[in-house]
């Protein structure tokens, strides 16, 4: 008999419990057949709260008690924070989990909210991706204060949380602490998703690559609730075991867990999923996810690309976010001309509305307008970075309505001038302009003096920008 098989057949005399191999070998995993505990609020057990170890998913009983079958690969146990309760956090970093280490019992204490959370807001940060102290300085002095000011404008009673969808840092793990400072400065609790630059390299396979992240931020897949919205965070970055080699993939373990998790969620609730690599074109087994979600109303929040894009596939609306760092902290815009910034979302029941918030600009800053005279004729170029097919983009010349502008995929003039070529930008020359579909363009008659462009989003909000032709 192999040593592992022998150990797995050793029984404890006092009760006949099977001893885990890892426990016998001296690791801090309990020699038990289950993990159990209670979920309480104000000293009383809370019924029907979902608790998971990333493999099994269970609900608490009427006294708030739960029990999960022991799984030798489980390292964390976490609660899916129920609606009507505050998000537990430590200086803004969500803390909804316990590390499984040397004991069987893990209890959770929740705090009831004093208001209905059916209406609330959340923000999405994509790719803070700080590499050095200069990047950190910009994050702390520009990005964090911008969010703080926005949150204060919502009023003291507003319920707001944040989700960072990966690439918190740029391989420099000591800078996670600087990100934590930025989160604390915003004044709202943040949940985190794992990005490819947040992983541990060359320590083993995909499972080992999550070690540092899990020590700092907990599980890489989990869920929580606010009002009638069920939030899910997934890990779609699969480390391939060497240097920075990875691909977009959702493990079978996660997909199996997600099915169990969603079984406890009413079909009429909105599902919001946060992850790093865009699902629509970056995740090889995306159809498996779409199949699980086919009878749900779903919004996916992703990043990774350093450009802004909205993709609608049936019942799934994916928001690919422009980044907090823009083009790696080198200029004011991403490669597609989207300003540095983040997504802002408002929930009313199961309805979701949103806009893109440019760092350092008011909400109304939703498009850029340029007059291009680099060729034989002058051309109007408008970049409406959060455009989707429900938007309408119109223009006026010298105060006279000129019609609807059509999509003309191309480059943003500012991004083109800042980033084109190996020598630009000087700080990080690999940043390049990115052709995008949210460009609108048309020829402009030479006698025209001024132009106004008005973009109307899918919610009826109108945003405008003007340019002088002369």
């Amino acid at each position: 008999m192999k040593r592992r098989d022998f150990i797995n057949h050793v029984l404890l005399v006092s009760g006949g419990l099977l001893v885990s191999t890892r426990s016998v070998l001296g690791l801090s995993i309990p020699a038990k057949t289950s993990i159990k505990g209670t979920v309480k609020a104000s000293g009383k057990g809370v019924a029907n709260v979902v608790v998971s170890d990333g493999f099994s998913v269970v609900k608490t009983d009427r006294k708030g008690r739960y029990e999960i079958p022991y799984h030798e690969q489980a390292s964390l146990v976490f609660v899916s924070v129920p609606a009507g309760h505050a998000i537990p956090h430590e200086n803004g970093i969500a803390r909804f989990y316990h590390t499984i280490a040397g004991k069987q019992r893990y209890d959770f204490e929740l705090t009831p909210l004093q208001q209905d959370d059916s209406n609330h807001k959340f923000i999405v940060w994509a790719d803070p991706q700080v590499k050095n102290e200069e990047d950190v300085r910009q994050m702390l002095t520009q990005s964090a204060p911008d969010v703080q000011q926005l949150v204060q404008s919502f009023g003291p009673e507003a319920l707001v949380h944040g989700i960072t969808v990966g690439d918190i840092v740029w391989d420099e793990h000591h800078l996670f602490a600087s990100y934590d400072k930025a989160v604390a400065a915003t004044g709202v609790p943040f949940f985190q998703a794992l990005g490819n630059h947040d992983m541990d390299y060359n320590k083993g396979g995909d499972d080992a690559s999550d070690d540092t992240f899990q020590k700092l931020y907990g599980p890489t897949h989990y869920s929580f609730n606010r009002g009638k919205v069920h939030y899910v965070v997934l890990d779609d970055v699969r480390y391939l075991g060497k240097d920075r080699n990875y691909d977009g993939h959702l493990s079978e373990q996660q997909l199996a867990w997600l099915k169990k998790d969603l079984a406890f969620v009413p079909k009429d609730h909105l599902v919001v999923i946060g992850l790093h690599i865009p699902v629509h074109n970056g995740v090889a087994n995306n159809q498996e996810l779409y199949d699980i979600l086919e009878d749900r109303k779903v919004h996916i929040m992703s990043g990774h690309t350093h450009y802004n894009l909205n993709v609608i596939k049936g019942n799934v609306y994916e928001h690919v976010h422009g980044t907090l760092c823009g083009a790696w902290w080198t200029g004011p815009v991403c490669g597609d001309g989207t300003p540095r910034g983040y997504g802002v979302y408002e929930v009313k029941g199961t309805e979701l509305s949103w806009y893109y918030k440019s760092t350092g600009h008011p909400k109304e800053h939703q498009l850029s307008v340029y007059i291009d005279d680099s060729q034989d004729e002058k051309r109007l170029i408008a970049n409406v970075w959060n455009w989707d097919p429900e938007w309408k983009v119109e223009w006026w010349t010298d105060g006279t309505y000129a019609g609807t502008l059509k999509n003309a995929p191309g480059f943003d003039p500012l991004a083109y001038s800042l980033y084109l070529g190996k020598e630009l930008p000087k700080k990080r020359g690999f940043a390049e302009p990115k052709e995008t579909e949210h460009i609108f363009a048309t020829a402009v008659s030479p006698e025209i003096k001024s132009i106004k462009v008005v973009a109307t989003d899918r919610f009826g909000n109108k945003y405008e920008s003007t340019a002088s032709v002369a």
Side-chain angles (χ1 to χ4, degrees):
M1 180 180 290
K2 293 181 180 179
R3 183 169 182 266
R4 177 181 177 87
D5 293 334
F6 172 77
I7 292 172
N8 278 334
H9 283 81
V10 176
L11 295 178
L12 289 176
V13 175
S14 60
L17 296 179
L18 186 67
V19 179
S20 159
T21 300
R22 295 191 295 170
S23 179
V24 171
L25 295 178
L27 300 182
S28 56
I29 300 297
K32 305 293 182 181
T33 57
S34 66
I35 297 295
K36 61 179 66 176
T38 59
V39 179
K40 293 183 178 181
S42 301
K44 297 181 179 179
V46 184
N48 299 317
V49 177
V50 170
V51 183
S52 176
D53 64 352
F55 296 89
S56 298
V57 182
V58 301
K59 263 189 175 182
T60 57
D61 65 14
R62 62 186 181 87
K63 293 186 177 181
R65 299 173 299 194
Y66 75 90
E67 185 167 2
I68 298 175
Y70 173 71
H71 194 292
E72 67 172 11
Q73 292 181 311
S75 59
L76 297 158
V77 58
F78 51 93
V79 61
S80 184
V81 180
H85 293 81
I87 295 169
H89 67 92
E90 180 182 3
N91 294 323
I93 302 298
R95 303 294 190 202
F96 53 94
Y97 57 90
H98 294 297
T99 300
I100 299 173
K103 62 179 183 178
Q104 184 180 18
R105 185 178 186 86
Y106 299 90
D107 298 327
F108 296 91
E109 184 70 32
L110 301 174
T111 302
L113 290 170
Q114 301 303 307
Q115 64 190 103
D116 182 14
D117 58 357
S118 297
N119 296 347
H120 62 272
K121 296 177 173 67
F122 66 96
I123 67 172
V124 175
W125 276 7
D127 303 74
Q129 203 162 335
V130 287
K131 183 73 169 176
N132 55 39
E133 291 302 323
E134 171 56 22
D135 299 345
V136 168
R137 185 193 65 78
Q138 294 184 64
M139 177 175 64
L140 290 174
T141 62
Q142 299 173 22
S143 304
D146 192 272
V147 174
Q148 182 185 53
Q149 184 178 21
L150 176 71
V151 171
Q152 289 174 348
S153 74
F154 295 151
E157 301 302 316
L159 294 173
V160 189
H161 66 273
I163 306 171
T164 297
V165 291
D167 280 3
I168 296 170
V169 298
W170 188 354
D171 302 335
E172 301 295 333
H173 288 178
H174 68 282
L175 295 179
F176 280 124
S178 297
Y179 163 81
D180 294 353
K181 290 180 182 178
V183 165
T186 68
V188 299
F190 264 74
F191 295 87
Q192 283 66 228
L194 179 75
N196 52 288
H197 286 292
D198 303 321
M199 298 189 297
D200 297 299
Y201 300 129
N202 300 319
K203 289 177 58 176
D206 188 49
D207 290 342
S209 70
D210 302 346
D211 286 354
T212 296
F213 180 93
Q214 290 194 40
K215 288 176 183 176
L216 295 174
Y217 303 116
T220 57
H221 63 272
Y222 56 92
S223 65
F224 62 98
N225 304 273
R226 260 201 166 166
K228 293 184 177 181
V229 182
H230 185 66
Y231 294 89
V232 177
V233 172
L234 297 175
D235 169 13
D236 65 347
V237 183
R238 180 171 62 177
Y239 179 56
L240 301 178
K242 183 179 179 182
D243 296 328
R244 291 163 177 77
N245 196 10
Y246 66 91
D247 65 1
H249 183 270
L250 288 162
S251 68
E252 292 306 314
Q253 174 203 333
Q254 280 188 94
L255 294 172
W257 169 85
L258 180 60
K259 290 179 183 178
K260 298 173 187 177
D261 177 75
L262 289 176
F264 292 112
V265 180
K267 289 292 182 67
D268 62 341
H269 282 203
L270 179 66
V271 176
V272 173
I273 298 177
L275 40 68
H276 185 57
I277 297 176
V279 172
H280 72 99
N281 67 349
V283 175
N285 60 335
N286 57 10
Q287 190 57 51
E288 294 181 58
L289 178 62
Y290 291 144
D291 289 345
I292 294 172
L293 301 172
E294 64 181 354
D295 56 352
R296 304 271 183 174
K297 182 180 178 182
V298 182
H299 287 260
I300 294 177
M301 310 292 164
S302 59
H304 184 59
T305 62
H306 291 250
Y307 59 72
N308 203 76
L309 182 67
N310 295 308
V311 180
I312 304 170
K313 286 185 175 289
N315 63 310
V316 177
Y317 191 121
E318 181 164 10
H319 308 255
V320 183
H321 292 79
T323 59
L324 197 72
C325 69
W328 297 271
W329 301 106
T330 60
V333 297
C334 301
D336 67 335
T338 301
R340 293 183 188 177
Y342 50 95
V344 181
Y345 297 83
E346 182 172 6
V347 176
K348 293 184 177 180
T350 59
E351 296 301 313
L352 188 67
S353 60
W354 58 88
Y355 64 91
Y356 186 87
K357 175 66 172 67
S358 301
T359 301
H361 295 275
K363 172 185 176 180
E364 291 71 26
H365 185 57
Q366 295 294 324
L367 69 158
S368 295
V369 174
Y370 308 90
I371 302 299
D372 177 22
D373 57 3
S374 62
Q375 301 179 10
D376 293 337
E377 64 177 5
K378 290 186 178 182
R379 295 175 69 242
L380 162 66
I381 299 176
N383 189 349
V384 186
W385 42 81
N386 211 22
W387 172 88
D388 70 29
E390 294 297 316
W391 284 61
K392 185 177 184 180
V393 183
E394 302 168 285
W395 66 307
W396 280 255
T397 61
D398 295 334
T400 301
Y401 182 69
T404 302
L405 288 171
K406 304 297 183 183
N407 284 93
F411 294 94
D412 177 84
L414 178 59
Y416 198 84
S417 67
L418 290 175
Y419 306 138
L420 181 65
K422 293 187 296 183
E423 302 302 318
L424 293 176
K426 291 182 178 180
K427 183 178 178 182
R428 285 161 181 159
F430 60 84
E432 291 292 324
K434 171 71 177 179
E435 190 172 15
T436 177
E437 65 181 47
H438 48 70
I439 294 290
F440 298 79
T442 189
V444 177
S445 299
E447 66 273 10
I448 300 299
K449 298 292 188 283
S450 66
I451 285 175
K452 179 176 73 172
V453 177
V454 177
T456 306
D457 69 13
R458 60 168 44 229
F459 310 109
N461 300 307
K462 294 182 180 294
Y463 309 102
E464 70 175 62
S465 184
T466 59
S468 175
V469 180

